[in-house]
Amino acid sequence: MMKDMRPESLMMSHGYDPKLSEGAIKCPIFQTSTFVFNTAEEGKAFFELAYGLREKEEGEQMGLIYSRLNNPDLQILEERLCLWDGAEECAVFESGMSAISTAILCFCKPGDLLVYSNPVYGGTDHFINHVMTKFGVHVMGIDPTDSLEELKAAIGAHPAANKLSMIHIETPANPTNKLICIKDMRALADHFKQEDRSVVLSVDNTYLGPVYQHPLKHGADLVLYSATKYIGGHSDVIAGACMGRADLMMEVKTMRTFLGNMAGPWTGWLLMRSLETLQVRMERQAKNAKHVAEALAKHPAIERVGYLGFLTEADGKQFEIFNSQCDSAGAMISIYVKGGEKEAFAMLNKMKLVKLAVSLGSTESLAQHPATMTHADVDPETKKKFNISPNLVRLSVGVEHYEDLIADLTQALD
Ligand SMILES: *Cc1c(COP(=O)(O)O)cnc(C)c1O
């Protein structure tokens, strides 16, 4: 019965049994590195399962061993995160970058081809172009506004096309809010699959998820998060998550065990606390963003506002994708001011309530300058091609009263 309830109804209790913790209504922080086995036989059995040396017996549960492998704060958190995306398994990490890098390392080996959408988060872009290439992985950035046929031809022309092992996309894209059709990317991945290998499709869902977009339902294999953003939501913790089918997640979790980049119990506890208010925060933020975007669009110092809620039929495919894939326009706004860096900086320097800081999805509104901050390291041609221009300010709308936000942004623009 509990399974049929909505995720927001289950975030306070799912997966936690108070009887196991002296009746405490909330899951305690299991600040422990290791767990005592009742018998040596039990320890042996747990390790057999942890290392996949044998299959689970009927009704057998994986026991607690050591906090690099598992910990109650992480396990309960992972079960709760699965509910939002309808995932079979989840792994939580100490940062979004560790979730992304671990997933990529898991499915790409030397000689393979890794395809990614442009633009992606600056850190992801760096990891793909400057770290994976060092390990002999071929990488190729695509323009996701190209048609499926154009993309098939472009990837097909790459010398390592028959070794395509992973497609990593980000939709909506950070910082431009451009949308990518996940179903098309599934078709693209399947087009290049070989008899003995499939192509893993991963989606960074940080911008709209886990409430407003569910990539697994549209054909993605893995969904990735910077849980630092909406999931954490209070600018007080760095964390990440990766979710998907059990067989793939088994590989990701094994890689996590040996890289040792799992989140600690305190991070797990903080994220469980955050998940209780995830839905109300995101609803409020999305409502605020609509008011703020509408007000900004009318300001004379603004050239253009990139906000998913402004898409109309005239936007063609972008509008179609929005309707088929997104449950809300979310709370991220790309503001193109009139002028260049000087004008963008003037706005950022004059804000009072909205804070000038990178990151997003938090209770407080944040604004930053992608071209010189989060995406400073992206190569200049790519920046130019995908509109990460000097006059772009990225705004993440928080839970304040929208009239106060509008007043602050208006005085900064004036
Ligand atoms: C912030 C962010 C990341 C990186 O996450 P960290 O938690 O900072 O490591 C990855 N992808 C997107 C879209 C992000 O916004």
Side-chain angles (χ1 to χ4, degrees):
M1 181 196 105
M2 293 293 271
K3 277 270 172 198
D4 297 332
M5 288 189 181
R6 291 165 183 80
E8 61 265 40
S9 304
L10 299 174
M11 284 304 110
M12 283 61 76
S13 58
H14 182 73
Y16 172 67
D17 179 0
K19 286 201 285 298
L20 297 176
S21 298
E22 309 274 6
I25 186 146
K26 289 291 130 178
C27 179
I29 305 174
F30 287 85
Q31 192 69 41
T32 185
S33 58
T34 194
F35 297 86
V36 177
F37 305 134
N38 285 313
T39 60
E41 287 76 10
E42 189 185 76
K44 176 181 173 184
F46 290 174
F47 268 92
E48 284 171 346
L49 290 187
Y51 284 105
L53 301 177
R54 63 170 173 85
E55 294 291 306
K56 264 187 199 160
E57 279 171 33
E58 189 85 7
E60 189 179 9
Q61 288 235 323
M62 176 66 190
L64 292 162
I65 297 178
Y66 182 66
S67 288
R68 178 156 47 74
L69 279 68
N70 51 14
N71 176 290
D73 291 295
L74 287 205
Q75 283 192 345
I76 298 167
L77 168 65
E78 286 164 356
E79 281 178 35
R80 290 183 189 174
L81 277 170
C82 279
L83 297 177
W84 294 96
D85 277 298
E88 288 175 6
E89 288 282 343
C90 169
V92 175
F93 291 83
E94 203 48 46
S95 69
M97 276 315 301
S98 59
I100 294 165
S101 55
T102 302
I104 291 176
L105 284 169
C106 212
F107 298 107
C108 296
K109 58 180 191 316
D112 283 355
L113 175 63
L114 164 63
V115 162
Y116 68 97
S117 63
N118 265 314
V120 280
Y121 176 71
T124 308
D125 188 278
H126 183 96
F127 182 77
I128 291 173
N129 285 295
H130 300 288
V131 180
M132 289 313 287
T133 48
K134 266 202 228 168
F135 292 107
V137 171
H138 303 285
V139 305
M140 179 181 177
I142 53 168
D143 179 349
T145 58
D146 284 350
S147 72
L148 191 52
E149 292 315 309
E150 286 169 318
L151 291 173
K152 280 180 189 169
I155 298 170
H158 193 287
N162 64 344
K163 293 251 177 77
L164 177 64
S165 59
M166 188 169 190
I167 300 179
H168 174 78
I169 65 167
E170 200 174 294
T171 179
N174 179 1
T176 55
N177 261 339
K178 269 274 181 285
L179 297 172
I180 304 172
C181 178
I182 298 169
K183 276 201 188 82
D184 281 0
M185 293 298 124
R186 176 77 267 156
L188 189 63
D190 289 344
H191 176 79
F192 286 98
K193 77 175 175 213
Q194 308 280 323
E195 235 162 70
D196 57 337
R197 69 193 287 178
S198 58
V199 177
V200 173
L201 173 62
S202 60
V203 179
D204 184 330
N205 199 33
T206 300
Y207 250 49
L208 274 186
V211 173
Y212 292 134
Q213 183 173 260
H214 305 107
L216 299 176
K217 298 198 169 91
H218 301 279
D221 295 308
L222 294 176
V223 51
L224 291 158
Y225 289 102
S226 167
T228 311
K229 314 296 166 56
Y230 288 100
I231 292 173
H234 294 73
S235 298
D236 55 9
V237 62
I238 299 274
C242 175
M243 276 174 257
R245 277 203 323 272
D247 60 327
L248 296 176
M249 288 308 300
M250 174 71 134
E251 294 188 51
V252 172
K253 282 192 167 179
T254 303
M255 184 63 98
R256 182 183 68 169
T257 291
F258 296 106
L259 291 176
N261 52 3
M262 72 296 149
W266 170 229
T267 297
W269 185 90
L270 272 173
L271 292 182
M272 276 195 273
R273 183 174 176 147
S274 288
L275 280 183
E276 298 190 6
T277 55
L278 177 69
Q279 177 86 26
V280 285
R281 281 187 280 114
M282 287 193 80
E283 275 175 18
R284 167 75 172 226
Q285 287 169 277
K287 179 183 145 213
N288 277 353
K290 181 169 186 290
H291 290 292
V292 170
E294 282 166 1
L296 286 172
K298 291 190 201 120
H299 197 283
I302 295 288
E303 181 183 294
R304 180 165 75 82
V305 175
Y307 167 63
L308 293 178
F310 287 163
L311 290 172
T312 65
E313 239 148 89
D315 296 292
K317 180 90 182 169
Q318 287 286 304
F319 185 58
E320 261 174 52
I321 303 171
F322 178 69
N323 285 328
S324 66
Q325 204 167 284
C326 313
D327 299 332
S328 160
M332 294 302 299
I333 302 177
S334 319
I335 306 168
Y336 292 88
V337 299
K338 282 187 187 150
E341 182 179 296
K342 185 166 155 272
E343 287 74 14
F345 278 16
M347 171 191 174
L348 290 167
N349 289 336
K350 291 203 173 90
M351 300 174 320
K352 293 191 177 98
L353 181 62
V354 178
K355 298 297 174 239
L356 169 52
V358 299
S359 197
L360 60 98
S362 185
T363 43
E364 72 274 286
S365 296
L366 298 175
Q368 62 108 5
H369 188 250
T372 59
M373 296 171 192
T374 48
H375 293 68
D377 189 43
V378 175
D379 105 85
E381 278 304 305
T382 309
K383 270 192 211 164
K384 203 163 168 200
K385 180 151 182 223
F386 296 102
N387 292 321
I388 307 173
S389 44
N391 66 335
L392 168 63
V393 168
R394 188 191 74 182
L395 174 67
S396 165
V397 179
V399 300
E400 303 92 338
H401 196 292
Y402 65 85
E403 286 174 3
D404 294 332
L405 291 172
I406 292 170
D408 187 38
L409 292 166
T410 304
Q411 67 79 27
L413 284 164
D414 288 345

